[in-house]
Amino acid sequence: MAESRLNTPFDQRAGTNLRGKRSVSELVASMIPNGANVFLSIGSTPLEVAKALSGHQELTVITNNLSAAMALSNEISNRILLPGGELRLPDRDFIGEEATDFFDRFRAEFAIFGVAGVAHDGGLLEFHPAEVRVRMKMQQHAAKSILVIDSSKFGRIAPALGGNISDVDVIACDRRPAPEFSDLADSLGEAISYSQGER
């Protein structure tokens, strides 16, 4: 399989475009009130959202992202729920049937999630079908869905398809995507926000 079709190691992804991810995360954290019920997905940008939420209190966080859970665990007023099953390393997350069933048992006000890539038609892409199933459960059972991405995700290739960016309530991105995605970005209207401006 071509190297470009494989996901990069988590620690490498976590350090890529950190400024953009942090600006997106601060934007999203400002949308979440204290006391909210939140689904939080796997991935490096959702982890940055968890860090940005560290000043919040009385959150109920339902997540399969162990690193995000740990980032929010310093605030003792928070309630954190995790699925069982095998911890996938080095990503430190849970996917698979147990995680999918886990999210079927909860409802949340907000679902905050990233994706591996966004196709030219707006399709949301992941590297594993199990990741798609868990993400779509979060979106299905939340009152408001929030996609957190940086602009490099537009056009990034991954094999597993699930959902479309047009079905997401809020898209938080660092900046406008490349010109070939201008029509797609424009079609999203006010649903998409840019944390570093539209340059």
Side-chain angles (χ1 to χ4, degrees):
M1 185 178 286
E3 201 61 33
S4 63
R5 304 294 175 94
L6 297 171
N7 205 0
T8 51
F10 181 82
D11 288 342
Q12 183 179 332
R13 282 182 281 132
T16 302
N17 191 18
L18 196 52
R19 183 180 174 204
K21 290 176 181 178
R22 285 179 174 165
S23 67
V24 166
S25 300
E26 289 163 7
L27 173 65
V28 171
S30 72
M31 303 176 188
I32 309 301
N34 288 329
N37 298 325
V38 181
F39 289 143
L40 195 58
S41 84
I42 64 174
S44 57
T45 307
L47 173 56
E48 289 302 319
V49 174
K51 294 175 182 177
L53 287 169
S54 63
H56 285 53
Q57 296 181 327
E58 298 182 346
L59 297 175
T60 297
V61 180
I62 305 151
T63 184
N64 57 334
N65 185 332
L66 181 61
S67 295
M70 295 304 295
L72 288 160
S73 66
N74 290 326
E75 173 52 58
I76 61 171
S77 69
N78 289 338
R79 182 182 183 210
I80 301 170
L81 296 95
L82 290 160
E86 182 176 351
L87 184 68
R88 182 172 63 164
L89 299 173
D91 296 59
R92 296 181 289 275
D93 58 35
F94 299 91
I95 60 170
E97 283 187 33
E98 289 178 76
T100 305
D101 293 344
F102 171 79
F103 285 102
D104 247 343
R105 300 199 298 268
F106 296 97
R107 301 295 181 270
E109 294 159 87
F110 303 95
I112 301 169
F113 51 86
V115 293
V118 181
H120 280 83
D121 64 357
L124 300 179
L125 306 174
E126 305 286 4
F127 282 94
H128 301 284
E131 295 172 341
V132 170
R133 288 192 291 271
V134 171
R135 171 173 53 78
M136 294 191 75
K137 286 293 182 185
M138 291 185 189
Q139 188 173 352
Q140 177 185 347
H141 295 316
K144 178 174 283 190
S145 56
I146 303 175
L147 173 62
V148 291
I149 50 174
D150 68 78
S151 57
S152 70
K153 295 297 178 74
F154 286 89
R156 187 176 184 218
I157 296 170
L161 171 68
N164 192 282
I165 197 169
S166 63
D167 299 324
V168 180
D169 297 316
V170 175
I171 302 102
C173 189
D174 58 341
R175 60 184 68 185
R176 278 186 67 87
E180 59 264 33
F181 286 92
S182 289
D183 288 347
L184 176 61
D186 291 344
S187 74
L188 299 170
E190 295 183 359
I192 190 166
S193 298
Y194 301 101
S195 60
Q196 294 184 338
E198 292 195 36
R199 54 193 171 168

